[in-house]
Amino acid sequence: MAIELMNEKSNNENILEVSNLKKYYPLSKIAVGKRRAYVKAVDDVSFSIKTGTTMGLVGESGCGKTTVGRTILRLHDVTSGQVIFNGRDLAKVPSRELRKMRPQMQMIFQDPYSSLSPRLPIGEIIGEAVREHNIVPKSQYRAYILKVMKDCGLQPQYFYRYPHEFSGGQRQRISIARAVALKPKFIICDEPLSALDVSIQAQIINLMKDLQEQYQYTYLFISHDLSVVEYLSDTIGVMYLGSMVEMGDKKKIFTNPMHPYTKALLSAVPKSNPDEKMNRIILEGDIPSPVNPPSGCKFRTRCPHAMPVCAEKAPILKEYDDGHKTACHLYSQD
Ligand code: SF4
């Protein structure tokens, strides 16, 4: 029987639907007579991803994008909200069944070295969960792992080598191989390039693109690097202090950003034409605390366009142009 990595293609257009997702962490110390305070890491976030596409999730560090990824995968409990994966509400899936579904949802981490066990050879790192979840019959196991390694640009002789014998880029290839060996439908990539040299980044991006083309993976690509996100993504979500402030098709976000925060982020992306002038928008001040965010619009303390209404009313994320949404009082909120 031919060894095939190809997924059963989902009939649902959206493989993932996230609605009103919240993840709050209670603070341990509370003063007598005061209400318990919470770090609102993810605060009412909604989005969906079409099967076989990539959504880029961007924002400064601490904006909650990694927590969104981990909460979707149920690595953290959800405070409230709904995550529908492949038509199933994950909160309602019994834990035994969820365990069986795990291979379909994988994650690639930022630091490939700390996510790989130093005591296991590469073949075992990639194959451990393949055996545990019976992804292929026993008789095909070794050939299957070698096929996955080949797909990810890893030589067969690496099978018995250990993580410390590899460069950062090769280690990230091993992490990717470990994820795709489980025949996932959906992969969350959490800053997978940020620990790598720029030249190696391009190789890993190309690998991820090739694998997606071949096997129809759906990616949620979490990054602070907008130029990488532009290259890889079909749609983009911009987060600030736990909330989604802008979302839409990549082209629309890059050619017509609406939210002042998105405009500031894009102004920092280097231009491909060195003669083109960069009109960098420098944001004043630090990101406020997620324990005690500003009233109204959370961005108002750093926004160059803040108005009195911005302190009084939180803007709602509203659609303005064919899927292009933003949350800002500069646009009609009716
Ligand atoms: Fe700026 Fe007001 Fe828009 Fe917030 S709502 S981004 S403060 S203009």
Side-chain angles (χ1 to χ4, degrees):
M1 202 167 91
I3 293 164
E4 194 51 82
L5 275 174
M6 185 72 186
N7 288 314
E8 199 186 298
K9 228 178 156 183
S10 168
N11 290 327
N12 292 335
E13 215 193 348
N14 289 333
I15 195 164
L16 186 82
E17 285 171 9
V18 174
S19 313
N20 309 108
L21 188 70
K22 289 185 185 177
K23 178 63 195 170
Y24 293 176
Y25 296 96
L27 291 181
S28 52
K29 284 189 183 162
I30 42 171
V32 179
K34 285 212 166 179
R35 286 172 61 191
R36 185 184 278 277
Y38 291 88
V39 174
K40 296 179 177 175
V42 178
D43 198 10
D44 208 6
V45 166
S46 303
F47 62 90
S48 57
I49 312 181
K50 284 191 178 135
T51 305
T53 67
T54 300
M55 176 173 169
L57 196 54
V58 298
E60 289 162 291
S61 85
C63 70
K65 52 194 191 307
T66 292
T67 312
V68 167
R70 288 174 177 260
T71 312
I72 288 172
L73 292 189
R74 300 268 300 270
L75 300 177
H76 296 318
D77 289 336
V78 174
T79 302
S80 67
Q82 200 178 39
V83 177
I84 308 274
F85 171 72
N86 216 19
R88 308 277 315 264
D89 181 347
L90 291 185
K92 294 186 179 147
V93 177
S95 46
R96 257 182 90 171
E97 209 179 321
L98 185 67
R99 206 189 145 269
K100 282 191 195 156
M101 285 173 74
R102 283 261 174 239
Q104 297 175 26
M105 303 174 278
Q106 288 298 302
M107 191 154 185
I108 298 166
F109 298 93
Q110 176 176 359
D111 180 0
Y113 196 59
S114 63
S115 70
L116 302 175
S117 168
R119 291 193 196 140
L120 295 178
I122 301 316
E124 184 58 19
I125 287 174
I126 300 169
E128 203 179 18
V130 170
R131 270 200 317 272
E132 199 184 319
H133 290 280
N134 293 316
I135 300 295
V136 288
K138 252 187 185 170
S139 59
Q140 293 181 16
Y141 171 76
R142 192 182 152 83
Y144 176 73
I145 301 302
L146 289 171
K147 164 83 167 71
V148 172
M149 288 173 64
K150 188 174 173 222
D151 278 350
C152 295
L154 296 163
Q155 309 285 328
Q157 62 268 30
Y158 296 168
F159 196 93
Y160 294 110
R161 296 201 189 154
Y162 288 82
H164 72 269
E165 298 176 59
F166 294 92
S167 66
Q170 283 170 319
R171 281 186 212 135
Q172 200 52 292
R173 285 178 189 272
I174 296 163
S175 302
I176 293 171
R178 178 176 57 182
V180 302
L182 294 172
K183 300 188 180 179
K185 290 182 185 338
F186 173 55
I187 305 178
I188 296 184
C189 314
D190 186 9
E191 302 265 13
L193 309 174
S194 55
L196 306 177
D197 289 348
V198 176
S199 58
I200 309 294
Q201 286 185 5
Q203 294 173 16
I204 300 295
I205 291 172
N206 288 336
L207 171 65
M208 291 179 64
K209 275 225 157 208
D210 290 348
L211 288 169
Q212 185 177 44
E213 248 176 66
Q214 212 176 341
Y215 300 116
Q216 291 291 306
Y217 299 137
T218 306
Y219 293 135
L220 176 62
F221 193 89
I222 297 169
S223 180
H224 65 277
D225 185 339
L226 272 126
S227 35
V228 168
V229 167
E230 181 183 16
Y231 184 71
L232 266 173
S233 308
D234 300 288
T235 55
I236 290 176
V238 182
M239 283 187 72
Y240 183 79
L241 213 59
S243 300
M244 195 72 85
V245 296
E246 186 159 0
M247 199 162 64
D249 180 80
K250 168 181 70 180
K251 251 194 189 153
K252 286 187 176 141
I253 300 278
F254 272 81
T255 56
N256 180 29
M258 296 177 79
H259 198 280
Y261 180 59
T262 313
K263 288 181 184 176
L265 289 182
L266 287 175
S267 76
V269 177
K271 307 278 181 217
S272 48
N273 177 359
D275 296 331
E276 210 178 315
K277 206 178 153 215
M278 279 189 66
N279 290 315
R280 181 103 196 250
I281 302 167
I282 307 286
L283 292 176
E284 304 285 333
D286 295 325
I287 304 181
S289 161
V291 178
N292 191 18
S295 63
C297 173
K298 291 178 184 172
F299 186 57
R300 73 176 168 83
T301 52
R302 300 173 79 199
C303 180
H305 308 287
M307 308 167 276
V309 65
C310 305
E312 288 155 22
K313 257 173 103 179
I316 50 166
L317 189 70
K318 202 180 152 218
E319 182 166 340
Y320 291 90
D321 172 24
D322 193 18
H324 190 174
K325 299 178 182 180
T326 195
C328 177
H329 288 301
L330 288 173
Y331 309 93
S332 158
Q333 287 275 295
D334 298 337

